């Protein structure tokens, strides 16, 4: 009796813990106000990111889709704060290809221009929208999504907030065709031939 009950209680505890882990969505909580490098005398500068100033001095929009990030990697003070930002610039006709942020949902704000956006849920249902300047759109955590500036005359500019200091990026084209996954595996997966896979891969090789 006794050992089997202990086992039951233990396994319940383990399962409970696993559920807790999966339901707590964001970055882990920290036990200090903030995380600063050991032995440094920090001041307000540590909590300031000036990397977006380049946007004000930029004379012409970038020629291709461009992202300027303020995540933990660029802005260490975000460590443990569960937030980050990205500024997205879309020249006419440019796309941010289908991708996933494994660790965060994304709240996108269209500051200038318009954007076609969409995400696909886990039932393979596509949700799309045509966003105008001033609109916000939420991309749920971990789902495949994209943004496209279909306007042939106007540049588009958006700001995205993430619910993680390090949202992570899995770009589908890059993950599938710019790694060394075997051509046969990809051909079988996409129900095509190796030659087609090699053509797709070629666009990623220098
Ligand atoms: C704040 O810290 C930075 C980096 O350590 C230093 O360059 C700067 O002089 C400090 N500012 C003040 C007002 O102490
Ligand atoms: C392909 O992967 C390499 C190595 O990770 C990267 O430097 C390069 O930018 C990628 N190419 C494209 C077109 O994304």
């Amino acid at each position: 009796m006794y050992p089997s009950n202990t086992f039951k209680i233990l396994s319940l505890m383990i399962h409970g813990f696993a559920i807790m882990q999966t339901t707590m969505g964001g970055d882990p909580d920290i036990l200090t106000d903030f995380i600063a490098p050991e032995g440094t005398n920090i001041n307000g500068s540590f909590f300031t990111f000036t990397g977006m100033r380049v946007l004000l001095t930029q004379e012409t929009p970038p020629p291709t889709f461009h992202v300027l990030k303020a995540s933990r990697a660029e802005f260490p003070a975000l460590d443990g704060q569960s937030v980050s930002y990205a500024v997205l610039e879309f020249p006419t006709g440019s796309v941010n290809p289908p991708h996933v942020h494994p660790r965060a949902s994304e709240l996108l704000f269209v500051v200038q221009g318009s954007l076609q956006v969409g995400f696909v849920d886990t039932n393979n249902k596509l949700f799309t929208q045509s966003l105008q300047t001033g609109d916000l759109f939420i991309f749920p955590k971990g789902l495949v999504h994209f943004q496209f500036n279909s306007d042939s005359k106007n540049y588009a500019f958006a700001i995205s907030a993430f619910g993680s200091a390090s949202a992570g990026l899995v770009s589908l084209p890059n993950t599938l065709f710019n790694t060394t996954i075997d051509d046969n595996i990809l051909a079988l997966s996409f129900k095509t031939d190796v030659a087609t896979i090699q053509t797709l891969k070629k666009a990623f090789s220098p």
Side-chain angles (χ1 to χ4, degrees), residues 104-148:
S105 46
E106 172 176 359
L107 181 59
L108 175 134
F109 176 29
V110 183
V111 178
Q112 190 183 329
S114 60
L115 284 176
Q116 298 282 331
V117 300
F119 69 85
V120 180
D121 74 7
T122 56
N123 293 316
N124 227 26
K125 181 175 163 131
L126 172 67
F127 296 85
T128 54
Q129 188 60 276
S130 204
L131 302 177
Q132 301 307 310
T133 308
D135 293 349
L136 277 84
F137 192 87
I138 179 77
F139 298 99
K141 181 174 176 173
L143 299 183
V144 172
H145 62 281
F146 59 85
Q147 299 112 16
F148 173 49

Side-chain angles (χ1 to χ4, degrees), residues 170-185:
V170 177
S171 162
L172 297 193
N174 214 30
T175 298
L176 292 164
F177 303 115
N178 192 20
T179 55
T180 50
I181 299 179
D182 187 85
D183 289 353
N184 286 306
I185 295 171

